[in-house]
Amino acid sequence: VNQALIEEARLRIAPIAQRTPVLTSLTFNTAAGVRTFFKCENLQKGGSFKIRGAANMILGLSPDDLARGVVAYSSGNHGQAVAIAARHAGASCTVVMPSDAPRSKLEATHGYGAKVVTYDRHRENREKVTQAIHSRTAAVLVPPLDHPLIIAGHGTAGLELLEQAPEMDALIAPVGSGGLVAGCAVAVKGIRPEIRIFGAEPEGANDTFVSLRAGRLVEVTPDTIADGLRSLTPGKLSFPILQRLVEDVILVSDDEIRAAMRFLLTRMKIVVEPSGAVAAAALLSRKLPSNLKSAVVILSGGNVDVEQLGTL
Amino acid sequence: VNQALIEEARLRIAPIAQRTPVLTSLTFNTAAGVRTFFKCENLQKGGSFKIRGAANMILGLSPDDLARGVVAYSSGNHGQAVAIAARHAGASCTVVMPSDAPRSKLEATHGYGAKVVTYDRHRENREKVTQAIHSRTAAVLVPPLDHPLIIAGHGTAGLELLEQAPEMDALIAPVGSGGLVAGCAVAVKGIRPEIRIFGAEPEGANDTFVSLRAGRLVEVTPDTIADGLRSLTPGKLSFPILQRLVEDVILVSDDEIRAAMRFLLTRMKIVVEPSGAVAAAALLSRKLPSNLKSAVVILSGGNVDVEQLGTL
């Protein structure tokens, strides 16, 4: 994954992905002690940054590939992204989702024209379910992560930020497998190597935090409300990028995530899902180095059931 | 209120008011049957468009006036706007609010540094409470509406839209006293007279709808969840502008308002208060002329208690 691949991705995904707005809040700046720019991928098409990777892969497929359709597995956001990109490209699309995924995610994926196949998360293996569909239909598998085109697609958010928040001296993004922060780090450091890059992880899914300290992939058992970040290990492709370019990973508790969601909802009027709010939570709980002048926070997604908002 | 006054306002408020983003949703376009651009004044500083008028008036005050401070009465959004603008200008600020205003609005106004004076909506008259403060302190009264500088300030949203959504052939905005739609109509029609202007009102607060048909100010008794639009009559200054420039006022029910709020929250990930969602509700319930190609909807505010969101 290099700068050129990300520049290419930017051109390829332009017809689908939005250049999402960057918001600010004086009240947040005061609370966090640092001038903050919020990159609103929760307002992205499909409700998360995932469209950047999915569109980059799908819009690069050959007409023959597109005719066979695409298949993906996803707990939610990646599925919606693949469905949107496939519809745009005129390809049929199947998304394999856990039967207990948030209702809003199941409905939205179906609404974007995808065939949704559910499986029992406790009894079935999603890779096997997906593989069976792949074998039967020869549909192209669109991986959710750890593929060069997916990571390059996610890096396009970093390119936009160089223009939208040139004052930034740090960027912090949520870390699941690490593809978003890896892509953005390559994009940003390639042009502005002095910008400091941080990841944010839930305490209950700290696989990247632990792995970076161990110098190798360490597996953890995730337990966090941030359902999009319940990765067991960092991605094999992302990890060496993180080792090279990320200064540190900041851990936040589920309560700190909820407090950040509440601030974003009540004061900034935007819906951010738990996974999407971890980087904001790291700033709001003042866990970043105190010598930053202005930081960009990536709000990576907003797909959360409305009932959960009333309980914040 | 003319084009020049609005252009002046734009320069004056630039240090405070945000150029709010314009969002789109393919799903909304399909549901409404028209390509729609959402002007997100809910993401404006203070959570509503009101900062545009308040900043225009307060930043135009003399140093002597500013030294005496400002006072305003408001059920919520105007108070926050005045508090923010006064703090920016270095003026002390008192806001008179009903004691049963949404908690979030009371807290936010106080948080912006204003002195909040509450009164009993059923027993006291807010103008009298405000007048008493004015008499005692000589603070400058910042009216919430129907003042040329306030209406011109609100019109700056229209100027931005000419640049942000040049494809629009119609603009629709919520109508309380009518200052927002009047200001935007002057701004837009002055440059693009072919653009059609609509207002949207709750069925339970249809004073402008009725007044336009009667050709004079008619008073109604408001009953609607849209607490920011419970005006008894259109503004005296706004009304002739509306008669001249607004094609029609569209009425929506409280249920249609709730459905629009829910769509905006769940699909577009933004918090919009009942008053802020009436124009979106008019489109979503397909009440606009069917020959529009692309419409701009102004989402005028986002200040709503989080508990209310869980019940949508």
Side-chain angles (χ1 to χ4, degrees):
Chain A
V1 183
N2 57 32
Q3 199 74 22
L5 206 63
I6 301 172
E7 293 282 2
E8 259 174 50
R10 183 179 201 170
L11 293 176
R12 192 177 291 131
I13 71 174
I16 305 190
Q18 311 243 16
R19 180 189 169 96
T20 49
V22 168
L23 299 181
T24 57
S25 159
L26 294 177
T27 310
F28 188 94
N29 293 352
T30 305
V34 59
R35 191 173 169 205
T36 307
F37 298 88
F38 295 92
K39 176 68 166 167
C40 291
E41 290 295 299
N42 57 324
L43 306 180
Q44 183 56 270
K45 216 167 279 186
S48 88
F49 73 99
K50 292 280 187 179
I51 190 77
R52 296 177 182 273
N56 191 36
M57 181 142 184
I58 290 171
L59 298 189
L61 293 176
S62 70
D64 278 0
D65 283 340
L66 288 174
R68 279 158 34 219
V70 299
V71 60
Y73 56 85
S74 166
S75 62
N77 288 342
H78 177 60
Q80 293 186 52
V82 169
I84 292 169
R87 181 156 77 173
H88 182 92
S92 70
C93 175
T94 307
V95 179
V96 177
M97 297 179 78
S99 47
D100 61 348
R103 189 169 45 81
S104 56
K105 293 189 181 184
L106 289 163
E107 282 174 8
T109 308
H110 183 73
Y112 293 127
K115 183 178 172 195
V116 176
V117 175
T118 58
Y119 70 98
D120 182 332
R121 210 153 52 82
H122 305 288
R123 292 189 206 170
E124 293 177 277
N125 177 299
R126 65 180 182 180
E127 281 86 355
K128 274 193 192 162
V129 176
T130 311
Q131 193 56 48
I133 294 167
H134 172 66
S135 304
R136 202 172 63 239
T137 63
V140 178
L141 178 66
V142 183
L145 51 91
D146 227 38
H147 184 288
L149 290 175
I150 300 292
I151 295 176
H154 297 165
T156 58
L159 287 187
E160 293 172 14
L161 282 165
L162 288 169
E163 296 160 7
Q164 293 179 300
E167 311 91 323
M168 65 173 157
D169 57 3
L171 181 152
I172 179 163
V175 174
S177 78
L180 175 61
V181 73
C184 288
V186 171
V188 165
K189 289 275 198 187
I191 292 169
R192 299 266 310 274
E194 77 282 11
I195 293 176
R196 299 161 72 177
I197 311 288
F198 297 88
E201 263 190 331
E203 289 173 356
N206 62 352
D207 49 300
T208 298
F209 176 90
V210 173
S211 297
L212 282 173
R213 274 154 181 75
R216 61 182 171 82
L217 298 188
V218 177
E219 188 169 320
V220 304
T221 306
D223 177 17
T224 169
I225 54 163
D227 56 302
L229 305 179
R230 290 181 193 140
S231 51
L232 306 183
T233 68
K236 287 197 182 69
L237 195 60
S238 306
F239 189 61
I241 302 176
L242 303 185
Q243 286 183 301
R244 189 158 47 87
L245 299 180
V246 168
E247 181 171 329
D248 202 1
V249 168
I250 314 292
L251 298 180
V252 294
S253 69
D254 280 4
D255 277 349
E256 287 167 340
I257 293 171
R258 281 191 203 94
M261 286 174 73
R262 189 178 169 90
F263 186 98
L264 293 160
L265 187 74
T266 59
R267 302 306 302 254
M268 295 183 64
K269 319 302 176 190
I270 50 176
V271 178
V272 181
E273 63 185 274
S275 305
V278 293
L283 256 82
L284 199 55
S285 45
R286 297 195 173 222
K287 291 184 172 174
L288 263 80
S290 59
N291 59 350
L292 300 179
K293 285 203 192 71
S294 60
V296 162
V297 160
I298 300 187
L299 302 173
S300 55
N303 293 321
V304 53
D305 280 340
V306 65
E307 292 74 20
Q308 206 179 331
L309 298 178
T311 64
L312 285 175
Chain B
V1 183
N2 57 32
Q3 198 76 21
L5 205 65
I6 301 173
E7 294 282 2
E8 259 174 51
R10 183 179 201 170
L11 293 175
R12 192 177 291 131
I13 71 174
I16 305 191
Q18 311 243 18
R19 182 188 167 99
T20 49
V22 167
L23 300 181
T24 58
S25 159
L26 294 177
T27 310
F28 188 94
N29 293 353
T30 305
V34 58
R35 188 173 170 207
T36 307
F37 298 89
F38 295 92
K39 176 67 167 168
C40 291
E41 290 295 298
N42 58 324
L43 307 181
Q44 183 56 267
K45 217 168 281 187
S48 89
F49 73 100
K50 291 280 185 178
I51 190 77
R52 296 178 182 272
N56 191 36
M57 180 142 183
I58 291 171
L59 298 189
L61 293 177
S62 69
D64 278 0
D65 283 341
L66 288 174
R68 280 157 35 218
V70 299
V71 61
Y73 55 86
S74 165
S75 62
N77 289 343
H78 177 60
Q80 293 186 54
V82 169
I84 292 169
R87 181 155 79 174
H88 182 91
S92 70
C93 175
T94 306
V95 179
V96 177
M97 298 180 75
S99 48
D100 61 348
R103 191 169 44 82
S104 57
K105 294 189 181 184
L106 289 164
E107 282 173 9
T109 308
H110 183 72
Y112 293 128
K115 183 178 171 193
V116 175
V117 174
T118 57
Y119 70 99
D120 182 332
R121 211 154 51 84
H122 306 290
R123 292 189 205 168
E124 293 177 276
N125 176 295
R126 65 181 182 180
E127 281 87 354
K128 275 193 191 162
V129 175
T130 311
Q131 192 58 47
I133 294 167
H134 172 65
S135 304
R136 204 174 61 240
T137 63
V140 177
L141 179 66
V142 183
L145 51 90
D146 227 37
H147 185 289
L149 290 175
I150 299 292
I151 295 176
H154 297 165
T156 58
L159 288 187
E160 293 171 14
L161 282 165
L162 288 168
E163 296 160 7
Q164 292 178 302
E167 311 91 324
M168 64 174 159
D169 57 4
L171 180 150
I172 179 163
V175 174
S177 78
L180 175 61
V181 72
C184 288
V186 172
V188 165
K189 289 274 197 185
I191 293 168
R192 300 266 309 273
E194 77 282 9
I195 293 175
R196 300 162 72 178
I197 311 288
F198 297 88
E201 264 191 331
E203 289 173 357
N206 63 352
D207 48 301
T208 298
F209 176 90
V210 174
S211 298
L212 282 173
R213 275 155 182 75
R216 61 181 171 83
L217 298 189
V218 178
E219 188 169 321
V220 304
T221 306
D223 176 17
T224 169
I225 54 163
D227 56 302
L229 306 180
R230 289 181 193 140
S231 51
L232 306 183
T233 68
K236 287 196 182 72
L237 195 60
S238 306
F239 188 61
I241 302 175
L242 303 184
Q243 286 183 300
R244 188 159 47 88
L245 299 180
V246 168
E247 180 170 330
D248 202 2
V249 168
I250 314 293
L251 298 181
V252 295
S253 70
D254 280 3
D255 277 350
E256 287 166 341
I257 293 171
R258 281 191 203 93
M261 285 174 73
R262 190 180 167 88
F263 185 98
L264 293 160
L265 187 74
T266 59
R267 302 307 301 254
M268 294 183 66
K269 319 300 177 192
I270 50 176
V271 177
V272 182
E273 63 185 274
S275 305
V278 293
L283 257 83
L284 199 55
S285 44
R286 298 197 173 221
K287 291 183 172 175
L288 262 79
S290 59
N291 59 351
L292 299 179
K293 286 203 190 71
S294 60
V296 163
V297 161
I298 300 187
L299 303 173
S300 56
N303 292 321
V304 54
D305 279 340
V306 65
E307 292 73 21
Q308 205 179 331
L309 299 178
T311 65
L312 287 176

